Structures are given as structure tokens and as C-alpha cells.
Amino acid sequence: MGKTKAYPIFFREDDEYYLIYIPDFDVVSEVDELDIAKVIQVSRCLIKDICKLKKEKNIKIPEPSNYDNAFKITKSRTDGIFDYSNAIFSYIDVEII
């Protein structure tokens, strides 16, 4: 059994889908329907997959950021790619194996 961590995400509605940004991994994704449960599911799977790949390649898995750091990362890395000004913030719990 692994350790559970809670990683921050920002997501926002964009026309007929949600855009997701995961600052600790600098990843943008989308959910092709307006379903928040799907946003959480996709985010969790994406974080788990990234952590699994990092572990297989012996790359350090980052610790989850707090809100202030997640916001700073999002603001600095997504200029023009992801409009965080109207995004919803959440944490996604993930078991890191």
C-alpha cells in the first residue's frame, strides 16, 4: 500500500468542456464534457500515471504544493495557455505506490 497525497489542480469551463491544469507536474489536460466528477477522475488518473512513470525512471516525485505555491506556479507557467483568473481550485487525493 502506498502513501496518499493531495495534489492541487485548477480547472475551468471552456465552451463545452473543462480545461485542467496540474501545477506540480506542469500538465494541461481537458475533459470533453461538463462533468466535475469526470474532472476529478481524469486528474487523479493523470497524476497517478505521471507518478508511476517518474518512479519507473527514478525521477523524484514532487511534493504537493500549497495553494499559494500552486497559484504562483500556475500564474508563471501558463500565461496565454490557461486562464487561471476564473478557474476553480481543488485538491485531488492520490495514492502513490
Side-chain angles (χ1 to χ4, degrees):
M1 191 162 153
K3 182 177 181 181
T4 300
K5 297 185 178 188
Y7 282 95
I9 68 164
F10 290 90
F11 65 97
R12 69 175 184 83
E13 190 175 321
D14 192 37
D15 295 324
E16 300 293 319
Y17 57 95
Y18 277 111
L19 284 175
I20 305 165
Y21 181 66
I22 307 172
D24 290 327
F25 299 100
D26 195 23
V27 173
V28 176
S29 188
E30 66 181 53
V31 172
D32 61 358
E33 53 191 274
L34 294 176
D35 182 355
I36 293 176
K38 190 79 168 178
V39 167
I40 293 168
Q41 178 186 20
V42 166
S43 298
R44 184 174 287 121
C45 287
L46 189 54
I47 293 168
K48 284 176 93 169
D49 289 347
I50 291 169
C51 289
K52 182 179 176 186
L53 285 172
K54 284 183 174 288
K55 190 169 186 176
E56 287 173 0
K57 294 182 178 191
N58 291 320
I59 298 172
K60 187 177 188 270
I61 297 170
E63 289 298 316
S65 294
N66 62 28
Y67 173 80
D68 290 335
N69 286 341
F71 184 80
K72 287 176 190 174
I73 292 167
T74 302
K75 186 176 177 181
S76 70
R77 292 184 184 164
T78 63
D79 189 29
I81 298 171
F82 182 86
D83 181 9
Y84 54 84
S85 63
N86 63 348
I88 298 167
F89 176 82
S90 185
Y91 281 101
I92 304 296
D93 64 321
V94 179
E95 184 178 0
I96 308 298
I97 299 173

